[in-house]
Coordinates of all heavy atoms in Angstrom, one line a residue:
M1 N 196.3 205.0 -133.4 CA 195.0 204.5 -133.1 C 194.5 203.7 -134.3 O 194.7 204.0 -135.4 CB 194.1 205.8 -132.9 CG 192.6 205.5 -132.5 SD 192.6 205.9 -130.8 CE 191.4 205.0 -130.0
V2 N 193.7 202.6 -133.9 CA 193.2 201.7 -135.0 C 192.0 202.2 -135.5 O 191.0 202.6 -134.7 CB 193.1 200.3 -134.4 CG1 192.5 199.4 -135.4 CG2 194.5 199.8 -133.9
S3 N 191.7 202.2 -136.8 CA 190.5 202.7 -137.3 C 189.4 201.6 -137.3 O 189.7 200.5 -137.3 CB 190.7 203.2 -138.8 OG 190.8 202.1 -139.7
Q4 N 188.2 202.1 -137.4 CA 187.1 201.2 -137.4 C 187.1 200.3 -138.6 O 186.7 199.1 -138.7 CB 185.7 201.9 -137.4 CG 185.5 202.6 -136.0 CD 185.5 201.6 -134.9 OE1 186.4 201.4 -134.1 NE2 184.4 200.9 -134.7
E5 N 187.6 200.8 -139.7 CA 187.7 200.0 -141.0 C 188.6 198.8 -140.8 O 188.3 197.8 -141.3 CB 188.3 200.9 -142.1 CG 187.3 201.9 -142.6 CD 188.0 202.8 -143.7 OE1 189.2 202.5 -144.0 OE2 187.4 203.8 -144.0
K6 N 189.6 198.9 -140.0 CA 190.6 197.8 -139.7 C 189.8 196.7 -138.9 O 189.9 195.6 -139.1 CB 191.8 198.3 -139.1 CG 192.6 199.1 -140.0 CD 193.9 199.6 -139.4 CE 194.6 200.6 -140.3 NZ 195.7 201.3 -139.6
Y7 N 189.1 197.2 -138.0 CA 188.2 196.3 -137.2 C 187.3 195.5 -138.0 O 187.0 194.3 -137.9 CB 187.5 196.9 -136.0 CG 188.4 197.4 -134.9 CD1 188.3 198.6 -134.3 CD2 189.3 196.5 -134.3 CE1 189.0 198.9 -133.2 CE2 190.2 196.8 -133.3 CZ 190.0 198.1 -132.6 OH 190.8 198.5 -131.7
A8 N 186.6 196.3 -138.9 CA 185.6 195.8 -139.8 C 186.2 194.6 -140.7 O 185.5 193.6 -140.9 CB 185.0 196.8 -140.7
A9 N 187.4 194.9 -141.1 CA 188.1 193.9 -142.0 C 188.3 192.6 -141.2 O 188.2 191.5 -141.7 CB 189.4 194.4 -142.5
V10 N 188.6 192.7 -139.9 CA 188.8 191.4 -139.0 C 187.5 190.7 -138.9 O 187.4 189.5 -139.1 CB 189.3 191.9 -137.7 CG1 189.2 190.7 -136.7 CG2 190.7 192.4 -137.8
F11 N 186.4 191.5 -138.6 CA 185.1 190.7 -138.5 C 184.6 190.1 -139.8 O 184.1 189.0 -139.8 CB 184.0 191.7 -138.0 CG 184.2 192.0 -136.5 CD1 184.6 193.3 -136.1 CD2 184.3 191.0 -135.6 CE1 184.7 193.5 -134.8 CE2 184.4 191.2 -134.2 CZ 184.7 192.5 -133.8
E12 N 184.9 190.8 -140.9 CA 184.5 190.3 -142.2 C 185.2 188.9 -142.5 O 184.7 188.0 -143.0 CB 184.8 191.3 -143.4 CG 183.8 192.4 -143.4 CD 184.3 193.5 -144.4 OE1 185.1 193.2 -145.3 OE2 183.7 194.6 -144.3
E13 N 186.6 188.9 -142.2 CA 187.4 187.7 -142.5 C 186.9 186.6 -141.5 O 186.7 185.4 -142.0 CB 188.8 188.0 -142.2 CG 189.7 186.8 -142.4 CD 189.6 186.2 -143.8 OE1 189.4 187.0 -144.8 OE2 189.9 185.0 -144.0
V14 N 186.6 186.9 -140.3 CA 186.0 185.8 -139.3 C 184.7 185.3 -139.8 O 184.5 184.1 -139.9 CB 185.9 186.4 -137.9 CG1 185.1 185.4 -137.0 CG2 187.3 186.7 -137.3
G15 N 183.8 186.2 -140.3 CA 182.6 185.7 -140.9 C 182.7 184.8 -142.1 O 182.0 183.9 -142.2
K16 N 183.7 185.2 -143.0 CA 184.0 184.4 -144.2 C 184.4 182.9 -143.7 O 183.9 181.9 -144.3 CB 185.1 184.9 -145.1 CG 184.5 186.2 -145.8 CD 185.7 186.7 -146.7 CE 185.4 188.1 -147.2 NZ 186.6 188.7 -147.9
R17 N 185.3 182.9 -142.7 CA 185.8 181.7 -142.2 C 184.8 180.8 -141.7 O 184.7 179.6 -141.9 CB 187.0 181.8 -141.3 CG 188.2 182.5 -142.0 CD 189.4 182.7 -141.0 NE 190.5 183.4 -141.7 CZ 191.7 183.5 -141.2 NH1 191.9 183.0 -140.0 NH2 192.6 184.1 -141.8
L18 N 183.9 181.4 -140.8 CA 182.8 180.6 -140.3 C 181.8 180.1 -141.3 O 181.4 179.0 -141.1 CB 182.2 181.5 -139.1 CG 183.0 181.8 -137.9 CD1 182.3 182.7 -137.0 CD2 183.2 180.5 -137.1
K19 N 181.6 180.9 -142.2 CA 180.7 180.6 -143.3 C 181.2 179.3 -144.0 O 180.5 178.3 -144.4 CB 180.5 181.6 -144.3 CG 179.5 181.4 -145.5 CD 179.3 182.6 -146.3 CE 178.3 182.3 -147.4 NZ 177.9 183.4 -148.2
Q20 N 182.5 179.4 -144.3 CA 183.1 178.2 -145.1 C 183.2 176.9 -144.1 O 182.8 175.9 -144.6 CB 184.5 178.6 -145.4 CG 185.2 177.5 -146.3 CD 184.5 177.4 -147.6 OE1 184.2 178.4 -148.3 NE2 184.1 176.2 -147.9
L21 N 183.4 177.1 -142.8 CA 183.3 175.9 -142.0 C 181.9 175.4 -141.9 O 181.7 174.1 -142.0 CB 183.6 176.3 -140.5 CG 185.1 176.6 -140.3 CD1 185.4 177.3 -139.0 CD2 185.9 175.3 -140.3
R22 N 180.8 176.3 -141.9 CA 179.5 175.8 -142.0 C 179.2 175.0 -143.3 O 178.7 173.9 -143.2 CB 178.5 176.9 -141.8 CG 177.0 176.5 -141.9 CD 176.1 177.7 -141.8 NE 176.4 178.8 -142.9 CZ 176.0 178.6 -144.2 NH1 175.4 177.5 -144.6 NH2 176.2 179.6 -145.0
K23 N 179.6 175.6 -144.3 CA 179.3 175.0 -145.6 C 180.1 173.6 -145.8 O 179.6 172.7 -146.3 CB 179.6 175.9 -146.7 CG 178.7 177.1 -146.9 CD 179.0 177.9 -148.1 CE 178.0 178.8 -148.4 NZ 178.2 179.5 -149.8
D24 N 181.3 173.7 -145.2 CA 182.1 172.4 -145.3 C 181.5 171.2 -144.6 O 181.7 170.1 -145.0 CB 183.5 172.6 -144.8 CG 184.4 173.5 -145.6 OD1 184.0 173.8 -146.8 OD2 185.4 173.9 -145.2
R25 N 180.7 171.6 -143.6 CA 180.0 170.5 -142.9 C 178.6 170.2 -143.4 O 177.9 169.4 -142.7 CB 179.9 170.9 -141.4 CG 181.3 170.7 -140.8 CD 181.6 171.6 -139.6 NE 183.0 171.4 -139.0 CZ 184.1 171.8 -139.5 NH1 184.2 172.5 -140.6 NH2 185.3 171.6 -138.9
G26 N 178.2 170.9 -144.5 CA 176.9 170.6 -145.1 C 175.8 171.2 -144.3 O 174.7 170.8 -144.4
L27 N 176.0 172.3 -143.5 CA 175.0 172.8 -142.7 C 174.4 174.1 -143.4 O 175.2 174.9 -144.0 CB 175.5 173.3 -141.4 CG 176.0 172.0 -140.5 CD1 176.8 172.7 -139.3 CD2 174.9 171.2 -140.1
S28 N 173.2 174.3 -143.1 CA 172.5 175.6 -143.7 C 172.6 176.6 -142.5 O 172.8 176.2 -141.3 CB 171.1 175.4 -144.1 OG 170.3 175.0 -142.9
Q29 N 172.2 177.9 -142.8 CA 172.2 178.9 -141.6 C 171.1 178.5 -140.7 O 171.2 178.7 -139.4 CB 171.9 180.3 -142.3 CG 173.1 180.8 -142.9 CD 172.9 182.1 -143.6 OE1 171.7 182.6 -143.9 NE2 173.9 182.9 -143.8
E30 N 170.0 177.9 -141.3 CA 168.9 177.4 -140.4 C 169.3 176.3 -139.5 O 168.8 176.2 -138.4 CB 167.7 177.0 -141.3 CG 167.1 178.1 -142.0 CD 167.7 178.6 -143.2 OE1 168.6 177.9 -143.7 OE2 167.5 179.7 -143.6
D31 N 170.3 175.5 -139.9 CA 170.7 174.3 -139.1 C 171.4 174.9 -137.8 O 171.6 174.2 -136.8 CB 171.7 173.5 -139.9 CG 171.0 172.6 -141.0 OD1 169.8 172.4 -140.8 OD2 171.8 172.4 -142.0
M32 N 171.9 176.1 -137.9 CA 172.6 176.6 -136.7 C 171.7 176.9 -135.6 O 172.2 177.0 -134.4 CB 173.3 178.0 -137.2 CG 174.4 177.8 -138.3 SD 175.6 176.4 -137.9 CE 176.6 177.2 -136.5
L33 N 170.4 176.9 -135.8 CA 169.5 176.8 -134.6 C 169.7 175.7 -133.7 O 169.6 176.0 -132.5 CB 168.1 176.8 -135.2 CG 167.4 178.0 -135.9 CD1 166.2 177.8 -136.5 CD2 167.2 179.1 -134.7
S34 N 170.0 174.7 -134.2 CA 170.2 173.4 -133.3 C 171.4 173.6 -132.5 O 171.6 172.8 -131.5 CB 170.3 172.1 -134.1 OG 171.4 172.2 -135.0
F35 N 172.3 174.6 -132.8 CA 173.4 174.8 -131.9 C 173.3 176.1 -131.1 O 174.2 176.5 -130.4 CB 174.7 175.0 -132.8 CG 175.0 173.8 -133.6 CD1 174.8 173.8 -135.0 CD2 175.5 172.6 -133.0 CE1 175.0 172.7 -135.8 CE2 175.7 171.5 -133.8 CZ 175.5 171.5 -135.2
G36 N 172.1 176.6 -131.1 CA 171.7 177.7 -130.1 C 171.9 179.2 -130.8 O 171.9 180.2 -130.1
F37 N 172.2 179.2 -132.1 CA 172.3 180.4 -132.8 C 171.0 180.7 -133.6 O 170.5 179.8 -134.2 CB 173.4 180.4 -133.8 CG 174.8 180.3 -133.2 CD1 175.4 179.1 -133.3 CD2 175.5 181.3 -132.7 CE1 176.7 178.9 -132.7 CE2 176.8 181.2 -132.2 CZ 177.3 179.9 -132.2
S38 N 170.4 181.9 -133.4 CA 169.3 182.2 -134.3 C 169.8 182.4 -135.7 O 171.0 182.8 -135.9 CB 168.6 183.5 -133.8 OG 169.3 184.7 -134.1
T39 N 168.8 182.2 -136.6 CA 169.1 182.3 -138.1 C 169.7 183.8 -138.3 O 170.7 183.9 -139.0 CB 168.0 182.0 -138.9 OG1 167.6 180.6 -138.7 CG2 168.4 182.1 -140.4
R40 N 169.0 184.7 -137.8 CA 169.3 186.1 -138.0 C 170.6 186.4 -137.4 O 171.5 187.1 -138.1 CB 168.3 187.0 -137.4 CG 168.6 188.5 -137.6 CD 168.3 188.9 -139.0 NE 168.8 190.3 -139.2 CZ 169.6 190.7 -140.1 NH1 170.0 189.8 -141.1 NH2 170.0 192.0 -140.3
H41 N 170.9 186.0 -136.2 CA 172.3 186.1 -135.6 C 173.4 185.6 -136.5 O 174.4 186.2 -136.8 CB 172.3 185.6 -134.2 CG 173.6 185.9 -133.4 ND1 174.2 184.9 -132.6 CD2 174.5 186.9 -133.5 CE1 175.3 185.4 -132.2 NE2 175.5 186.6 -132.7
W42 N 173.1 184.4 -136.9 CA 174.2 183.6 -137.8 C 174.4 184.4 -139.1 O 175.5 184.5 -139.5 CB 173.8 182.1 -137.9 CG 175.0 181.5 -138.5 CD1 175.2 181.1 -139.8 CD2 176.2 181.1 -137.7 NE1 176.5 180.5 -139.9 CE2 177.1 180.6 -138.6 CE3 176.6 181.3 -136.5 CZ2 178.4 180.1 -138.3 CZ3 177.8 180.9 -136.0 CH2 178.7 180.2 -137.0
Q43 N 173.4 184.9 -139.7 CA 173.4 185.7 -140.9 C 174.4 186.9 -140.6 O 175.2 187.3 -141.5 CB 172.1 186.1 -141.4 CG 171.3 185.0 -141.9 CD 169.9 185.4 -142.2 OE1 169.3 186.4 -141.6 NE2 169.1 184.7 -143.1
Q44 N 174.2 187.5 -139.4 CA 175.0 188.7 -139.2 C 176.5 188.3 -138.9 O 177.4 189.1 -139.3 CB 174.5 189.4 -137.9 CG 173.1 190.1 -138.2 CD 172.4 190.8 -137.0 OE1 172.7 190.3 -135.8 NE2 171.6 191.7 -137.2
V45 N 176.7 187.2 -138.3 CA 178.0 186.8 -138.1 C 178.7 186.5 -139.4 O 179.8 187.0 -139.6 CB 178.0 185.3 -137.3 CG1 179.4 184.8 -137.3 CG2 177.5 185.7 -135.8
E46 N 178.1 185.8 -140.3 CA 178.6 185.5 -141.6 C 178.7 186.8 -142.5 O 179.7 186.8 -143.3 CB 177.9 184.5 -142.3 CG 178.0 183.1 -141.8 CD 177.2 182.0 -142.6 OE1 176.7 182.3 -143.7 OE2 177.2 180.9 -142.1
A47 N 178.0 187.7 -142.3 CA 178.1 189.1 -143.0 C 179.2 189.9 -142.5 O 179.4 191.0 -143.1 CB 176.8 189.8 -142.9
G48 N 179.9 189.5 -141.5 CA 181.0 190.3 -141.0 C 180.6 191.4 -140.0 O 181.4 192.2 -139.7
R49 N 179.4 191.2 -139.3 CA 179.1 192.2 -138.2 C 180.0 191.9 -137.1 O 180.4 190.7 -136.8 CB 177.6 192.0 -138.0 CG 176.6 192.4 -139.1 CD 176.6 193.8 -139.3 NE 176.3 194.5 -138.2 CZ 175.2 195.3 -138.0 NH1 174.3 195.4 -138.8 NH2 175.1 195.9 -136.8
P50 N 180.2 192.9 -136.3 CA 180.9 192.7 -135.0 C 180.3 191.5 -134.1 O 179.1 191.5 -134.0 CB 180.9 194.0 -134.3 CG 180.8 195.0 -135.4 CD 179.9 194.3 -136.4
V51 N 181.1 190.7 -133.6 CA 180.6 189.5 -132.8 C 181.3 189.5 -131.5 O 182.5 190.1 -131.4 CB 180.8 188.1 -133.5 CG1 179.9 188.0 -134.7 CG2 182.2 187.9 -133.8
T52 N 180.9 188.9 -130.5 CA 181.5 188.8 -129.2 C 182.5 187.7 -129.2 O 182.4 186.7 -130.0 CB 180.5 188.6 -128.1 OG1 179.9 187.4 -128.2 CG2 179.6 189.8 -128.0
L53 N 183.4 187.7 -128.2 CA 184.2 186.5 -128.1 C 183.5 185.3 -127.6 O 183.8 184.2 -128.2 CB 185.3 186.9 -127.0 CG 186.3 185.8 -126.7 CD1 187.1 185.4 -127.9 CD2 187.3 186.2 -125.5
T54 N 182.4 185.4 -126.9 CA 181.6 184.3 -126.7 C 181.0 183.6 -127.9 O 181.0 182.4 -128.0 CB 180.4 184.8 -125.7 OG1 181.0 185.2 -124.6 CG2 179.5 183.5 -125.4
T55 N 180.6 184.4 -128.8 CA 180.1 183.8 -130.2 C 181.1 183.1 -130.9 O 180.9 182.0 -131.4 CB 179.4 185.0 -131.0 OG1 178.3 185.6 -130.3 CG2 179.0 184.4 -132.4
I56 N 182.3 183.7 -130.9 CA 183.5 183.0 -131.5 C 183.8 181.8 -130.9 O 184.0 180.7 -131.6 CB 184.7 184.0 -131.6 CG1 184.4 185.2 -132.6 CG2 185.9 183.2 -132.0 CD1 185.4 186.3 -132.5
L57 N 183.8 181.7 -129.6 CA 184.2 180.5 -128.8 C 183.0 179.4 -129.1 O 183.3 178.2 -129.1 CB 184.4 180.7 -127.4 CG 185.6 181.6 -127.0 CD1 185.6 182.0 -125.5 CD2 186.8 180.9 -127.5
R58 N 181.8 179.8 -129.0 CA 180.7 178.8 -129.3 C 180.8 178.3 -130.6 O 180.6 177.0 -130.9 CB 179.3 179.5 -129.1 CG 179.0 179.9 -127.6 CD 177.7 180.5 -127.4 NE 176.6 179.9 -128.1 CZ 175.6 180.5 -128.7 NH1 175.5 181.9 -128.7 NH2 174.6 179.9 -129.3
A59 N 181.0 179.1 -131.6 CA 181.1 178.6 -133.0 C 182.3 177.7 -133.1 O 182.2 176.6 -133.8 CB 181.4 179.8 -134.0
C60 N 183.4 178.0 -132.5 CA 184.6 177.0 -132.5 C 184.2 175.8 -131.9 O 184.7 174.6 -132.4 CB 185.8 177.7 -131.8 SG 186.6 179.0 -132.7
D61 N 183.5 175.8 -130.9 CA 182.9 174.6 -130.3 C 182.1 173.7 -131.2 O 182.3 172.4 -131.4 CB 182.1 174.8 -129.0 CG 182.8 174.5 -127.7 OD1 184.0 173.9 -127.8 OD2 182.1 174.7 -126.7
V62 N 181.3 174.4 -131.9 CA 180.3 173.8 -132.9 C 181.1 173.0 -133.9 O 180.8 171.9 -134.3 CB 179.3 174.7 -133.4 CG1 178.6 174.1 -134.7 CG2 178.3 175.1 -132.4
F63 N 182.1 173.7 -134.5 CA 182.9 173.2 -135.6 C 184.1 172.4 -135.2 O 184.7 171.8 -136.1 CB 183.2 174.3 -136.6 CG 182.1 175.1 -137.2 CD1 181.9 176.4 -136.9 CD2 181.0 174.4 -137.8 CE1 180.8 177.1 -137.6 CE2 180.0 175.1 -138.3 CZ 179.9 176.4 -138.2
G64 N 184.3 172.4 -133.9 CA 185.5 171.5 -133.5 C 186.8 172.0 -133.9 O 187.8 171.4 -134.2
V65 N 186.8 173.5 -134.0 CA 188.1 174.1 -134.4 C 188.5 175.0 -133.3 O 187.9 175.7 -132.7 CB 187.7 175.1 -135.5 CG1 188.9 175.9 -135.9 CG2 187.2 174.3 -136.8
P66 N 189.9 174.8 -132.9 CA 190.4 175.8 -131.9 C 190.3 177.1 -132.3 O 190.5 177.5 -133.4 CB 191.9 175.3 -131.8 CG 192.1 174.0 -132.6 CD 190.9 174.0 -133.5
P67 N 190.1 178.0 -131.4 CA 190.0 179.5 -131.6 C 191.2 180.0 -132.4 O 191.2 180.8 -133.3 CB 189.7 180.2 -130.3 CG 189.2 179.1 -129.4 CD 189.7 177.8 -129.9
E68 N 192.4 179.5 -131.9 CA 193.6 180.0 -132.6 C 193.7 179.6 -134.0 O 194.3 180.4 -134.7 CB 194.9 179.6 -131.8 CG 195.0 178.1 -131.5 CD 194.4 177.5 -130.3 OE1 193.4 178.1 -129.8 OE2 194.7 176.4 -130.0
K69 N 193.1 178.6 -134.4 CA 193.1 178.2 -135.8 C 192.2 179.1 -136.5 O 192.5 179.6 -137.7 CB 192.8 176.7 -136.0 CG 192.8 176.3 -137.4 CD 192.6 174.8 -137.6 CE 192.7 174.4 -139.0 NZ 192.3 173.0 -139.2
L70 N 191.0 179.3 -136.0 CA 190.0 180.2 -136.7 C 190.6 181.6 -136.9 O 190.4 182.1 -138.0 CB 188.7 180.2 -135.9 CG 187.6 181.3 -136.4 CD1 187.1 180.7 -137.7 CD2 186.7 181.5 -135.4
L71 N 191.2 182.1 -136.0 CA 191.8 183.5 -135.9 C 193.1 183.7 -136.5 O 193.7 184.8 -136.6 CB 191.7 184.1 -134.5 CG 190.2 184.0 -133.9 CD1 190.3 184.5 -132.5 CD2 189.3 184.9 -134.7
A72 N 193.8 182.5 -136.9 CA 195.1 182.6 -137.3 C 195.3 183.6 -138.5 O 194.6 183.4 -139.6 CB 195.7 181.2 -137.7
G73 N 196.1 184.6 -138.4 CA 196.4 185.5 -139.5 C 195.3 186.6 -139.7 O 195.5 187.4 -140.6
V74 N 194.3 186.5 -138.9 CA 193.3 187.5 -139.0 C 193.7 188.9 -138.6 O 193.5 189.9 -139.3 CB 192.0 187.1 -138.2 CG1 191.0 188.3 -138.2 CG2 191.3 186.0 -138.8
L75 N 194.5 189.0 -137.6 CA 195.1 190.2 -137.1 C 196.5 190.4 -137.7 O 197.5 190.1 -137.1 CB 195.2 190.2 -135.6 CG 193.9 190.0 -134.9 CD1 194.2 189.8 -133.4 CD2 192.9 191.2 -135.1
K76 N 196.5 190.9 -138.9 CA 197.7 191.1 -139.6 C 198.5 192.4 -139.0 O 197.9 193.4 -139.0 CB 197.5 191.4 -141.0 CG 196.8 190.1 -141.7 CD 196.6 190.5 -143.2 CE 196.0 189.3 -143.9 NZ 194.5 189.1 -143.7
P77 N 199.6 192.1 -138.5 CA 200.3 193.1 -137.7 C 200.4 194.5 -138.5 O 200.2 195.5 -137.9 CB 201.8 192.6 -137.6 CG 201.6 191.1 -137.6 CD 200.4 190.9 -138.6
K78 N 200.6 194.6 -139.8 CA 200.8 195.8 -140.5 C 199.4 196.6 -140.5 O 199.4 197.8 -140.5 CB 201.2 195.5 -142.0 CG 202.6 195.1 -142.1 CD 203.0 194.9 -143.5 CE 204.4 194.5 -143.6 NZ 204.8 194.3 -145.1
A79 N 198.3 195.9 -140.4 CA 197.0 196.6 -140.3 C 196.8 197.3 -139.1 O 195.9 198.2 -139.0 CB 195.9 195.6 -140.7
F80 N 197.5 196.8 -138.0 CA 197.3 197.5 -136.7 C 198.4 198.4 -136.2 O 198.6 198.6 -135.1 CB 197.0 196.3 -135.7 CG 195.6 195.8 -136.0 CD1 195.4 194.8 -136.8 CD2 194.5 196.4 -135.3 CE1 194.2 194.2 -137.0 CE2 193.3 195.8 -135.6 CZ 193.1 194.8 -136.3
R81 N 199.1 199.0 -137.2 CA 200.2 199.8 -136.8 C 199.7 201.3 -136.9 O 198.8 201.6 -137.7 CB 201.4 199.6 -137.8 CG 202.2 198.4 -137.4 CD 203.4 198.3 -138.3 NE 204.0 197.0 -138.0 CZ 204.8 196.4 -138.8 NH1 205.2 197.0 -139.8 NH2 205.3 195.2 -138.4

C-alpha cells in the first residue's frame, strides 16, 4: 500500500515544476487569473496541495508543455513499492 507521504511528495514536486514554469515565463501568481486559475488555487497548486488531473492538464496547456514532460520522473518506481 502506498502511504500518503509518498503521494504528498508527488504533488510537492508537481507544484515546484509548475512554479518554475510560471516564473520562467515571467508570470506572477496573479497573472494566472487570466488563464482561469484563482490566485488562491494557484498558490495551493504551487504549495504542493493535491490537484486534479484537470488542473494539471489546464496548466500544461497554459505553459505549452506536454503532461508527460511535466510529470517525467515524478513517479519514482522505488517510492511506490
Side-chain angles (χ1 to χ4, degrees):
M1 188 107 205
V2 178
S3 75
Q4 291 301 102
E5 289 175 8
K6 291 175 186 173
Y7 286 135
V10 169
F11 287 117
E12 286 174 17
E13 181 61 28
V14 170
K16 286 179 193 175
R17 292 178 183 195
L18 289 172
K19 181 177 185 175
Q20 190 60 54
L21 287 168
R22 176 184 59 76
K23 287 184 167 191
D24 289 348
R25 284 153 180 80
L27 298 169
S28 68
Q29 290 180 334
E30 292 77 19
D31 290 332
M32 298 309 291
L33 280 168
S34 64
F35 300 107
F37 295 100
S38 74
T39 302
R40 180 72 185 129
H41 182 218
W42 194 256
Q43 289 169 339
Q44 291 176 337
V45 169
E46 289 186 3
R49 297 289 308 245
V51 295
T52 65
L53 180 57
T54 300
T55 297
I56 291 171
L57 294 174
R58 285 178 54 214
C60 287
D61 252 0
V62 167
F63 299 126
V65 174
E68 58 271 19
K69 183 174 180 183
L70 174 70
L71 300 173
V74 171
L75 301 173
K76 296 178 178 83
K78 288 183 182 178
F80 286 91
R81 287 186 185 158

